[in-house]
Amino acid sequence: MGIIVIELLLWAGLIFFFWALRDGLNQVKSDIESPGPRAGPMPAALSGARFDRADKVSEQIGRYRDLPIYRYAVIDGMRYQFEHILPGESVSALQTEERCLAPGLVYTRCTEFE
């Protein structure tokens, strides 16, 4: 009789474990499917900045402020490669070989051939 009670408790624990696991996975699934938080306001130093516009982009490598980051961008017929993000800094702090795409993605001139 004691073994049957122990076995029933173990089965009940296993069922509870699977129920909790399913509930947790459903929560993760809903978190993944729901849209992420919207990007916050742009830093004041970048809000009035004039950004360059890419003619062509290729190879998406990530996202920043809900916009894609591309490894390569063609700007004014010249090829540039993503370098870093310029958060909260002035666009005027860019070097001569750098270009900035909204919302603060800095690209440097590529010198290599494909």
Side-chain angles (χ1 to χ4, degrees), residues 5-101:
V5 172
I6 292 173
E7 188 173 344
L8 287 175
L9 286 174
L10 288 174
W11 277 109
L14 185 63
I15 291 170
F16 176 76
F17 171 75
F18 282 126
W19 175 79
L21 182 65
R22 182 183 60 99
D23 190 49
L25 289 175
N26 284 339
Q27 179 65 33
V28 169
K29 180 181 175 186
S30 67
D31 287 347
I32 289 172
E33 291 174 349
S34 69
R38 301 306 285 160
M42 191 168 288
L46 293 178
S47 61
R50 184 182 171 284
F51 295 108
D52 294 300
R53 187 174 289 266
D55 303 328
K56 183 176 147 185
V57 291
S58 63
E59 196 177 335
Q60 184 176 343
I61 58 172
R63 295 189 74 75
Y64 176 67
R65 295 192 169 276
D66 211 25
L67 292 173
I69 299 173
Y70 295 98
R71 184 174 309 278
Y72 299 106
V74 176
I75 303 168
D76 296 332
M78 306 293 269
R79 186 177 164 98
Y80 291 84
Q81 183 173 2
F82 176 74
E83 182 68 28
H84 63 275
I85 294 173
L86 190 72
E89 297 177 26
S90 173
V91 176
S92 63
L94 294 174
Q95 303 298 320
T96 56
E97 294 294 313
E98 293 179 333
R99 303 296 286 272
C100 189
L101 301 179

